Each structure stands twice: as C-alpha cells, then as structure tokens.
Amino acid sequence: MNIVRLDKYVSHSTGLSRSEVKKLLLCGQITVNGSVIKSGDMKISESDSVLCRGKLCIYKKNVYYMLNKPQGYISATEDGLHKTVNELFPEEISKRVFPSGRLDIDTEGLLIMTDDGELVHRLTSPSHGVKKVYYAKLEGIVRAEHADIFSAGIPLGDFTAKPALLDILSIDDKAGTSEVRITVTEGKFHQVKRMAEYIGCKVTYLKREKIGSLCLDEALEPGEYRELTEQETDILKKE
Ligand code: URA
C-alpha cells in the first residue's frame, strides 16, 4: 500500500463519505496507533493501526465484485428511467463501484463491478481480446456450417465482428430452437444478438458465463453478488 491520507483511508475501508469521516474525526472517533487524530491529512502507511469507532479499518485500494446480473437492470451507475445494476448493492458499495462493460437490459450473468478503471479498460478494450463466453437460447436452427461463418468474422454493417466461436449445445427441430455457446473477444452494442441474426436466428435468452478465465459463480442467483477472491482478482488482472 502507498502512503494514503487518513480521511481517504477511513473512507475507503468503511464506505463512509469523506464528509462523514470528517465529522467522526472532529468527534474524536478515529485513532491511529492508539492516539485520537482530528485531522484528515495525516499520512497513513501499512504499519499503522487505524480504528474508526473502535473498529479496525482494513484499507483496500480497489474493490472487485462479481454480480449475477438479473434481467430488467441496465449496466449503468444511474439512470432516470430504468433500474441500474448499482441499485443491487448497498449504498457504501454502490457509490464506489461501476460496471465493467455492458450487458443489455434483458441479458443475465457475469458482470464485474469495481472501482479499478485500469482493469475495466483491460477487460473491455477490443485490443486486449479478452474472451467473453455467452450461453444463448435461439429461435431458429443452428447448423454446423454456421460455426465457420462465426469463425470467419461476421460483417455487421458498421463493423466486422472479430472471429468468434459457435458451439452448438442442442437443437430442437420440432420447436425450431437451438441452444448455443458463443465466445467473442469484443463487446459491441448487441453484438451476440446481431451475430445470431446474421445466421437467421433470434436470441430469446442470453447469459454471460465467463470473462477470460473467470466463471460466474453458480451459487449466485440473479441479483446476487460476492466479492472476488484475491486469486480471482489476480487471474483477471493477468488476462
Ligand atoms: N451481446 C449482446 O447482444 N447483448 C449483450 O448483453 C451482450 C453481448
């Protein structure tokens, strides 16, 4: 950890705003190495022991959560019209994190919520080519030759999609539906839906299962989240 101002240290480790921290400082509620400190600009390093209202503060430079995004929520921090993924978190987390990339309002699945802009850039920038794996239910029958079309790169009008992987999971000839797994390395607007349309199919259900080597935790119901483990965070940072 680098040297950090006391007010930032307490704010980051408790989720309290800087002004709330300032009030606690003035009330003598914050101690550093056993001494009451009233000024937020004191410099704190790893070896210092900071207590806020008697509780030890553990500083995290960044926070990382995995959310199983439910349908009906948009991938934004705030919106005048729709519910946002940030609303699924308590205020102290919500005010800190933002979604890494976008899933459509009707798409479910793995969404990383963090305050680490550098990681978000790595995961979402097409130049890094991080793989995103989607499970999709389609109206329409997918055939083996469609996989070649996906791997050749589909022209979608405003851009040509980079080569993608199409795995056929099941076909229901009678119902005229298919289940597939699609792996892409970019995340343009409605990309998977548009790629499916290109082969004459309509996505009726879409769920992101994986980003790079990180899989959605199957124990998370739509709308639930958990903090990434240190190991998972390290995996993502190496993508
Ligand atoms: N592709 C889509 O079409 N929608 C998503 O939400 C994600 C990828």
Side-chain angles (χ1 to χ4, degrees), residues 104-122:
D104 295 337
I105 191 163
D106 55 354
T107 301
E108 284 184 11
L110 179 57
L111 191 63
I112 303 298
M113 301 287 293
T114 181
D115 57 353
D116 183 346
E118 209 175 301
L119 179 74
V120 170
H121 178 71
R122 282 190 67 78

Side-chain angles (χ1 to χ4, degrees), residues 11-63:
S11 171
H12 267 207
S13 52
T14 59
L16 296 168
S17 68
R18 292 279 182 104
S19 59
E20 288 166 327
V21 171
K22 197 171 172 189
K23 281 184 204 150
L24 288 172
L25 283 162
L26 290 175
C27 296
Q29 297 281 306
I30 294 172
T31 62
V32 179
N33 306 325
S35 305
V36 170
I37 303 295
K38 296 205 167 182
S39 157
D41 60 11
M42 182 181 187
K43 301 289 181 289
I44 302 299
S45 69
E46 212 149 17
S47 59
D48 292 316
S49 166
V50 178
L51 270 67
C52 174
R53 289 185 286 212
K55 253 179 87 180
L56 184 66
C57 297
I58 310 287
Y59 182 81
K60 290 175 188 165
K61 181 167 177 269
N62 293 112
V63 288

Side-chain angles (χ1 to χ4, degrees), residues 114-176:
T114 181
D115 57 353
D116 183 346
E118 209 175 301
L119 179 74
V120 170
H121 178 71
R122 282 190 67 78
L123 295 180
T124 56
S125 153
S127 62
H128 283 102
V130 176
K131 286 183 183 159
K132 282 102 186 174
V133 181
Y134 293 87
Y135 163 83
K137 290 183 186 170
L138 307 177
E139 225 172 70
I141 301 295
V142 176
R143 294 187 302 275
E145 60 265 32
H146 289 143
D148 300 332
I149 296 175
F150 270 60
S151 63
I154 296 179
L156 290 173
D158 50 332
F159 79 107
T160 297
K162 287 194 179 150
L165 213 68
L166 173 68
D167 287 319
I168 303 172
L169 303 176
S170 74
I171 300 288
D172 185 337
D173 276 312
K174 225 164 150 193

Side-chain angles (χ1 to χ4, degrees), residues 84-95:
T84 71
V85 288
N86 277 65
E87 291 174 33
L88 294 161
F89 290 80
E91 200 192 339
E92 67 271 18
I93 300 175
S94 170
K95 65 188 176 198

Side-chain angles (χ1 to χ4, degrees), residues 4-15:
V4 178
R5 283 174 58 105
L6 176 60
D7 50 5
K8 183 177 174 185
Y9 186 102
V10 176
S11 171
H12 267 207
S13 52
T14 59

Side-chain angles (χ1 to χ4, degrees), residues 102-107 134 188-194 206 208:
R102 282 175 192 279
L103 292 177
D104 295 337
I105 191 163
D106 55 354
T107 301
Y134 293 87
K188 299 266 170 52
F189 187 59
H190 293 337
Q191 178 155 350
V192 170
K193 290 174 184 163
R194 291 166 73 193
L206 189 61
R208 183 155 66 191

